[in-house]
Amino acid sequence: MKISVIMLTYNHGKYIEKAVQSVCAQQGDFQLEIIIGDDCSTDNTAEVIDELAAKHKEIKIFRPEKNIGMHANLKKCLSLAEGDYISMCEGDDWYISPYKLQMQMEFLEKNKDCVMCSHSYIEYNQKEDKYSTINYQQDYNGGGIYCFEQLVTEYKWTNFTTYMYRKEVINKLPEFIWELNGADYSFNMHCAVYGNLGIIKEPLSVYRAGIGQWSSLSLIKQQQDTLDFAYISKEHFHKYYNGKYDDIFDKRIEKSIKNLKRVKAKAFKNKIRRFFKIKEK
């Protein structure tokens, strides 16, 4: 078996070596391929990965002539992957178990109904220098197995670094997913059309929070973007699948509207509290 690990990076000079070394340290009964997509970084990322590639023959580097963005970078790297399974590792995240890839491959070999496998992870808040474990294994379908409807309506997605996919499912991805803002979410939703997502209970990687675009958004903006994404996803899935999943997306939209109202109400209450505290002073 061969596993291809896709690593997207842009200005990750401070973090990329740790990410790459954690992938190179993987052990198991498989051949490893690492494809790094460096989207014209302006820091020292290129120098760091060139040095790493000189030491590790399993590393392949893709560099576009100009910055092309995450979606195009991911699409190109996937087209270069030769593995039977495709895994992810963001350039600022890292694996913490040397058996992460082996465990996910074995899970997919055993669970033929699953087309992708994820796991719990540790979130590292860089601003606060704080670690916390995010356990995504839930009691669905006997524990840790999610179908398409559950994934969409409950929004049970982990971060990209936790995922492994069957290559044959990746080959079925429609072009429209690259037009959506949430490439990772739309990517996973489409894969879930062909089978389930399995979750391994153990945390096997670290997600670096607080430095990305999403982490910098307010809770209201995050909820608004989630709602907008649900509307756009429904539109695209409606066209591609002839309305087959409209009811499922309607449930997601209804929940997103409620979540947005709840977050706005909480923000308003906090604003009022701050106003009266200032007035008392």
Side-chain angles (χ1 to χ4, degrees):
M1 287 290 180
K2 186 173 186 177
I3 297 176
S4 299
V5 176
I6 307 296
M7 184 175 293
L8 305 182
T9 183
Y10 178 73
N11 287 353
H12 288 148
K14 295 179 181 178
Y15 319 116
I16 191 72
E17 182 173 3
K18 187 170 188 175
V20 173
Q21 295 289 17
S22 74
V23 178
C24 290
Q26 291 297 296
Q27 302 176 35
D29 187 22
F30 56 85
Q31 182 182 353
L32 179 64
E33 171 186 65
I34 305 172
I35 300 175
I36 303 176
D38 178 17
D39 197 12
C40 297
S41 295
T42 58
D43 63 357
N44 67 328
T45 297
E47 290 80 1
V48 174
I49 60 178
D50 281 343
E51 291 179 6
L52 290 167
K55 299 175 183 177
H56 301 280
K57 63 180 181 179
E58 60 267 35
I59 295 176
K60 299 177 182 178
I61 301 173
F62 164 64
R63 287 194 179 97
E65 294 182 359
K66 61 179 181 179
N67 183 278
I68 57 177
M70 174 192 170
H71 295 191
N73 194 13
L74 174 59
K75 184 179 181 181
K76 180 60 179 180
C77 288
L78 286 171
S79 72
L80 299 174
E82 299 176 352
D84 302 287
Y85 293 101
I86 309 294
S87 192
M88 303 290 176
C89 185
E90 299 280 14
D92 54 349
D93 297 340
W94 68 96
Y95 296 170
I96 55 174
S97 169
Y99 303 104
K100 167 185 152 65
L101 298 181
Q102 179 70 24
M103 290 172 67
Q104 290 186 282
M105 182 181 72
E106 289 179 353
F107 183 96
L108 290 172
E109 287 288 297
K110 181 180 179 181
N111 296 277
K112 299 299 183 181
D113 61 315
C114 292
V115 297
M116 50 185 169
C117 175
S118 184
H119 53 75
S120 299
Y121 64 94
I122 294 174
E123 180 176 285
Y124 172 55
N125 188 313
Q126 184 163 292
K127 292 181 179 179
E128 300 178 5
D129 193 25
K130 181 180 178 181
Y131 291 86
S132 56
T133 300
I134 310 297
N135 187 345
Y136 266 87
Q137 189 180 49
Q138 303 291 330
D139 190 23
Y140 287 125
N141 293 346
I145 303 290
Y146 296 82
C147 67
F148 178 82
E149 181 171 357
Q150 291 164 332
L151 288 167
V152 174
T153 59
E154 300 297 329
Y155 225 58
K156 297 296 184 182
W157 305 109
T158 62
N159 72 292
F160 227 2
T161 294
T162 66
Y163 281 88
M164 177 179 283
Y165 308 87
R166 298 186 190 277
K167 177 65 181 295
E168 62 264 28
V169 175
I170 299 295
N171 292 337
K172 297 177 181 178
L173 290 172
E175 283 297 313
F176 78 77
I177 70 162
W178 308 111
E179 301 172 11
L180 301 177
N181 286 332
D184 49 353
Y185 287 140
S186 55
F187 187 100
N188 290 334
M189 279 194 294
H190 181 79
C191 288
V193 168
Y194 296 96
N196 295 329
L197 164 66
I199 304 287
I200 295 174
K201 183 177 181 180
E202 292 82 0
L204 304 176
S205 65
V206 176
Y207 165 63
R208 191 185 300 270
I211 64 171
Q213 183 178 0
W214 178 259
S215 299
S216 66
L217 299 178
S218 68
L219 287 177
I220 291 178
K221 186 64 169 68
Q222 287 182 352
Q223 291 299 330
Q224 183 63 61
D225 285 358
T226 299
L227 175 59
D228 293 343
F229 179 73
Y231 277 119
I232 294 171
S233 296
K234 178 186 175 181
E235 179 183 345
H236 283 277
F237 270 73
H238 176 84
K239 292 178 181 177
Y240 194 81
Y241 296 105
N242 297 316
K244 181 178 180 180
Y245 301 106
D246 283 2
D247 289 345
I248 293 175
F249 280 103
D250 285 340
K251 292 178 183 178
R252 175 66 258 172
I253 290 169
E254 182 180 353
K255 286 190 175 184
S256 292
I257 291 173
K258 289 181 179 178
N259 288 339
L260 180 58
K261 288 181 178 179
R262 175 179 52 80
V263 171
K264 283 184 175 180
K266 185 176 181 180
F268 179 74
K269 288 180 181 178
N270 290 337
K271 186 176 181 180
I272 294 297
R273 290 194 187 102
R274 288 195 299 270
F275 172 78
F276 281 108
K277 282 184 179 180
I278 293 172
K279 198 170 183 180
E280 288 173 1
K281 292 179 181 179

